[in-house]
Amino acid sequence: MKKILLLVAAVGMTLTAAADEGMWLLPYLQKMNIKNMKERGCRLSAEEIYSIDHSSLKDAIVIFGGGCTGEIVSPEGLLFTNHHCGYGSIQSLSSVEHDYLKNGFWAMSQAEELPAPGLEVRFIRKIADVTPEVMGNVPSIASQQEYDRITRENIAAVKERLRKENPDMEIDVESFFGGNQFFAFVMEVYTDVRLVGAPPSSIGKFGGDTDNWMWPRHTGDFSIFRVYAGKDNRPADYSPENRPYKAEKFLKISLDGVDEGDFAMVMGFPGSTERYATSYEIDNLLKVENPQRIAIRGERQAILWKDMTASDAIRIQYASKYASSSNYWKNSIGMSRGIEKLDVKARKEAQEASFQAWAEKNTLPEEGYIDALDKIRLSVEQMSPVAAARQYLAEAFLASVELLSPSRFFVGSMANMDVKETLADPAELKTRLSNWYKNYSPSTDRKVAKRMLTMARENMRELPTFYAEIVDKDFGGDIDAYVDYVYDHSVFASEEKALALVDDYSPEKVASDPAVLMAKSVMEQFQALSKALKEPRELFNEGHRKYIAGLMRQNPAKAWASDANFTIRLTYGRVLPYSPADGIEYNYYTTLKGVMEKENPDNPQEFTVPERLKELYAAKDFGRYANKKGELPVAFLADCDITGGNSGSPVMNDRGALIGLAFDGNWEAMSGDIAFEPDLQRMIAVDIRYVLFVVDKFAGAGWLLDELQFE
């Protein structure tokens, strides 16, 4: 074990980044990155970016909600993020009468800012390398079971210590490099977050699914919130008495714009990458995981879209659900395309052959490197059919058939669907149910259920038991008739009936409900498949951990960056164009002219241009937000290494000032989560000048700019 600890420490002490690839850990910036960053043009010190003892740029960056990044941009807790990151909250606050999704929302004073229930932001207050505490007593020849047991116990002890040292803070301990390193994060969670401004979807979601992941891009993908605190500036539940959070550190704004070759850096919370994935995992991704996800989500989305375009009420109910589903659906299509086109599997196979030759020549069998790849291969072979069936249950039933969800409020454990004997807090349960049904259309869900149950029958080898026991036995195999019966007779298909059940609760009523019977059958199979994955997953984890540790030993002079895991990282690069194919050259920025050119009356859901925006464009009324050519920039490119979770991340210039908000990657490099493509991979960011132009000129909310500080 001591060898691995020394290996990881050496990576942090001796290497300098040689390429744009890398989502870098902040505590290593001084040792690993700052020299190269300065060579690229950065004018900041490592201490100004991340400091253990003093305020730094890190303190202005937050986890926004459950899967995005935001940045504090004023002393009064004003926060910028993407429109698609704020989408769920904007949708939740919308109604047919107040359609903030379609029409946008702009507070004209702090008194008009809207509380966003359930929305949280997290500030990272401390970061600590706890690898010695977690792995110091793990034997170097420990089995994966022993490794898991010891590290699990040690992590619990680390968390307990940090909770005592940091009362009222949230503690997270995360694994890096496949379980070869561990960092602890101390976070302060603010729960009073309010919507300040959001452009209409015709700006914030301009281009819709058609333009998603594509360049050139013309989307004003931003929204504005504000963090509120109690009188002591600490987290507090919502109260009219709360005050705007007093930010010790916030980002200044630059209106200088970007030129080709300019230094750019991004700080945020990238969700997940799999840069250490092997050819075996890529095979499974291309043949099983992505095809199933693409097929299932595509069918459901088609049903949702049809109903959404026919009804404003359903559009508002399902806007966030549809966007969440379609984003990863298109990502999966692009990822498979990129992996195949760029021959990623062959590159992985070459790396594996080199590793195996090195391991057999330079290591002992008991160290675990020689058979690491064999363990990965065998585990993937064992897991693939089981995981495929489990994925089908997760995608086609648990994530698609919404009727299965409200029954969970009445059961003690989804693992065995035990129905509660009594309801602990009926009033609170009613509130939860009402909030859930607000975004539910039984008629739409009924259509989805019929299609999903049919797809499962056509594609799953072993079906949940309700097919044989109910669909076939009682309905002659007629899925549509069965689904109609369930939705006609389940109390959970109606908010009124579900609320009435709370008032006249009976465990027997819940246990015999047709939706509960379906959910119970699905969950029993899901749990059985999960159990079957346990042993091969342990084998995979052991092989994966040893493979990564071995790669680092094989190539000690390489700058190794850990896979993304939704912990705070820094990436940096240059503002650059790119060539996606022979004879095609893409510029590094787009302008408002492109928005006008893309307007399409035949596709009003995706390519409508607001009249006010047309007026401003016709008058060339761009004010101080125009570039040197008199154009209004909308978006720009940089070769920074980002992924999902980086959405909303600040793009900063060489002085740490905000120049844009990262919101997407490009179609040609969708394989980037598996293998970085330096010539093709680009981050797409909305230019901060377009953000401020929309706030000021389009929305007339210039009062917000008064609290910003400009370079």
Side-chain angles (χ1 to χ4, degrees):
M1 191 65 259
K2 196 171 292 184
K3 289 181 179 178
I4 293 178
L5 291 176
L6 292 173
L7 173 67
V8 175
V11 171
M13 288 190 294
T14 63
L15 301 178
T16 58
D20 294 320
E21 178 179 7
M23 302 173 188
W24 303 102
L25 288 161
L26 300 187
Y28 285 161
L29 293 183
Q30 181 63 52
K31 296 174 181 177
M32 290 188 69
N33 308 105
I34 197 63
K35 181 176 182 290
N36 184 259
M37 291 172 68
K38 286 185 176 294
E39 290 171 353
R40 297 291 184 90
C42 182
R43 302 187 196 181
L44 300 174
S45 67
E47 182 80 0
E48 289 174 303
I49 298 170
Y50 167 74
S51 174
I52 298 175
D53 302 314
H54 305 288
S55 179
S56 59
L57 283 182
K58 179 267 296 181
D59 299 307
I61 317 303
V62 300
I63 297 175
F64 182 84
C68 278
T69 301
E71 51 274 356
I72 303 299
V73 295
S74 87
E76 296 290 303
L78 200 66
L79 181 151
F80 285 176
T81 189
N82 287 155
H83 184 265
H84 75 262
C85 292
Y87 205 67
S89 292
I90 300 167
Q91 179 267 327
S92 180
L93 293 168
S94 295
S95 64
V96 175
E97 295 76 22
H98 300 285
D99 193 345
Y100 301 137
L101 286 176
K102 181 178 180 181
N103 303 319
F105 169 81
W106 303 99
M108 292 302 168
S109 69
Q110 289 184 3
E112 294 182 5
E113 295 171 356
L114 299 179
L119 181 59
E120 299 176 341
V121 301
R122 286 167 168 77
F123 290 85
I124 307 299
R125 299 308 190 194
K126 296 179 183 178
I127 305 173
D129 185 345
V130 294
T131 306
E133 287 183 78
V134 174
M135 298 185 64
N137 61 337
V138 178
S140 59
I141 58 172
S143 67
Q144 189 62 28
Q145 283 188 340
E146 186 179 10
Y147 166 91
D148 288 340
R149 177 185 60 79
I150 296 173
T151 56
R152 185 168 55 247
E153 292 171 354
N154 291 343
I155 289 171
V158 169
K159 286 184 174 181
E160 182 62 25
R161 173 179 65 79
L162 290 173
R163 286 191 192 100
K164 291 178 180 177
E165 295 174 0
N166 303 275
D168 301 321
M169 297 282 186
E170 186 176 284
I171 309 299
D172 190 23
V173 176
E174 290 290 344
S175 162
F176 296 79
F177 293 108
N180 289 294
Q181 188 176 32
F182 291 84
F183 273 83
F185 299 84
V186 178
M187 295 176 282
E188 193 164 29
V189 185
Y190 284 76
T191 56
D192 186 354
V193 185
R194 305 183 194 181
L195 176 63
V196 176
S201 289
S202 53
I203 291 177
K205 202 171 169 55
F206 183 78
D209 282 342
T210 299
D211 272 8
N212 194 19
W213 303 105
M214 309 302 288
W215 183 261
R217 197 68 178 274
H218 298 86
T219 312
D221 196 346
F222 76 93
S223 57
I224 305 174
F225 291 77
R226 192 186 302 276
V227 181
Y228 279 76
K231 293 180 180 179
D232 58 357
N233 209 38
R234 297 295 304 281
D237 292 337
Y238 168 78
S239 168
E241 305 301 317
N242 286 349
R243 304 169 181 179
Y245 169 72
K246 301 300 180 184
E248 182 179 356
K249 190 67 179 180
F250 56 90
L251 300 185
K252 292 183 178 180
I253 309 295
S254 172
L255 295 181
D256 292 343
V258 295
D259 292 318
E260 184 174 341
D262 280 357
F263 176 85
M265 64 180 177
V266 177
M267 196 185 299
F269 296 85
S272 66
T273 55
E274 298 175 81
R275 299 272 169 83
Y276 297 94
T278 62
S279 59
Y280 315 116
E281 294 149 79
I282 290 173
D283 255 349
N284 190 63
L285 187 73
L286 293 177
K287 295 176 182 178
V288 182
E289 288 182 35
N290 279 356
Q292 289 194 161
R293 182 179 300 110
I294 293 165
I296 296 168
R297 293 193 181 194
E299 291 290 320
R300 177 174 180 252
Q301 288 163 199
I303 296 169
L304 297 186
W305 186 255
K306 185 175 181 180
D307 279 15
M308 289 167 66
T309 54
S311 163
D312 281 341
I314 293 176
R315 173 180 55 80
I316 293 171
Q317 287 176 321
Y318 281 84
S320 182
K321 299 174 188 177
Y322 182 91
S324 177
S325 175
S326 66
N327 189 50
Y328 199 35
W329 165 76
K330 190 168 183 179
N331 177 284
S332 298
I333 296 171
M335 181 179 290
S336 292
R337 171 191 174 278
I339 289 172
E340 292 173 336
K341 185 175 181 178
L342 299 171
D343 206 11
V344 173
K345 181 183 174 184
R347 286 151 54 189
K348 293 288 186 178
E349 289 174 332
Q351 182 183 48
E352 291 157 21
S354 171
F355 172 84
Q356 192 63 37
W358 167 84
E360 291 176 0
K361 182 179 180 180
N362 296 281
T363 70
L364 300 173
E366 57 267 27
E367 292 180 282
Y369 302 118
I370 293 173
D371 61 354
L373 285 169
D374 278 342
K375 288 178 178 176
I376 294 174
R377 175 187 56 77
L378 180 60
S379 65
V380 171
E381 290 174 358
Q382 294 174 349
M383 286 191 293
S384 182
V386 182
R390 187 174 179 270
Q391 181 193 22
Y392 228 97
L393 293 177
E395 289 275 359
F397 289 96
L398 300 178
S400 296
V401 181
E402 294 177 275
L403 184 61
L404 304 184
S405 296
S407 63
R408 300 183 186 189
F409 299 162
F410 293 85
V411 300
S413 169
M414 282 304 292
N416 52 27
M417 293 294 290
D418 287 337
V419 178
K420 296 178 180 177
E421 289 299 318
T422 58
L423 300 178
D425 190 342
E428 190 272 339
L429 180 55
K430 279 189 171 184
T431 299
R432 290 176 63 198
L433 286 167
S434 294
N435 289 336
W436 188 87
Y437 281 103
K438 177 187 175 184
N439 297 318
Y440 178 64
S441 167
S443 60
T444 300
D445 193 40
R446 184 188 295 239
K447 297 171 191 175
V448 170
K450 290 178 179 179
R451 184 67 190 117
M452 294 296 102
L453 266 65
T454 299
M455 288 186 72
R457 166 151 272 177
E458 293 170 349
N459 292 282
M460 292 185 70
R461 293 180 181 178
E462 293 186 23
L463 292 162
T465 55
F466 77 85
Y467 277 90
E469 295 173 355
I470 304 176
V471 179
D472 296 341
K473 182 179 178 182
D474 298 338
F475 294 88
D478 189 335
I479 287 175
D480 285 1
Y482 165 70
V483 170
D484 284 334
Y485 171 82
V486 172
Y487 282 75
D488 288 342
H489 292 84
S490 173
V491 299
F492 301 114
S494 160
E495 179 180 4
E496 182 181 359
K497 291 180 180 178
L499 293 174
L501 176 62
V502 177
D503 292 329
D504 185 23
Y505 180 68
S506 163
E508 291 75 23
K509 290 180 184 177
V510 176
S512 62
D513 187 274
V516 173
L517 294 176
M518 187 197 303
K520 186 174 187 297
S521 174
V522 170
M523 284 308 302
E524 285 175 348
Q525 185 172 3
F526 187 84
Q527 292 297 329
L529 293 170
S530 298
K531 186 177 180 180
L533 286 172
K534 186 176 183 297
E535 286 190 15
R537 172 58 62 183
E538 287 179 350
L539 185 66
F540 173 84
N541 289 342
E542 183 172 9
H544 183 66
R545 175 166 57 90
K546 292 291 187 178
Y547 179 51
I548 294 176
L551 284 172
M552 294 164 72
R553 279 187 59 182
Q554 181 191 8
N555 300 284
K558 177 179 168 61
W560 295 97
S562 175
D563 269 326
N565 58 359
F566 203 55
T567 57
I568 192 165
R569 308 289 182 93
L570 180 84
T571 181
Y572 56 92
R574 297 154 293 173
V575 174
L576 287 177
Y578 74 104
S579 175
D582 182 50
I584 301 175
E585 297 290 334
Y586 281 149
N587 197 6
Y588 66 90
Y589 72 97
T590 59
T591 69
L592 190 59
K593 178 184 178 183
V595 175
M596 303 303 152
E597 293 173 343
K598 282 185 176 179
E599 183 178 23
N600 183 2
D602 294 330
N603 187 358
Q605 294 288 340
E606 295 184 319
F607 294 103
T608 290
V609 180
E611 288 302 317
R612 175 60 178 157
L613 202 58
K614 293 181 185 179
E615 293 170 4
L616 291 165
Y617 176 74
K620 297 295 185 282
D621 186 6
F622 305 149
R624 56 177 174 163
Y625 311 112
N627 65 15
K628 298 171 185 176
K629 297 180 179 180
E631 306 163 320
L632 180 66
V634 172
F636 66 88
L637 297 171
D639 63 352
C640 300
D641 187 3
I642 70 166
T643 188
N646 271 125
S647 291
S649 292
V651 186
M652 296 168 280
N653 64 14
D654 54 359
R655 301 173 299 280
L658 187 64
I659 56 175
L661 310 180
F663 72 93
D664 215 347
N666 60 320
W667 182 250
E668 296 82 8
M670 294 301 292
S671 60
D673 282 356
I674 305 293
F676 186 77
E677 307 292 344
D679 294 331
L680 285 176
Q681 200 141 337
R682 294 294 182 270
M683 167 205 72
I684 303 174
V686 58
D687 196 301
I688 197 63
R689 293 171 292 180
Y690 188 53
V691 172
L692 300 185
F693 165 83
V694 172
V695 173
D696 187 7
K697 295 283 189 175
F698 176 85
W703 73 278
L704 291 169
L705 276 61
D706 293 339
E707 63 183 271
L708 305 179
Q709 291 189 15
F710 296 86
E711 274 196 330

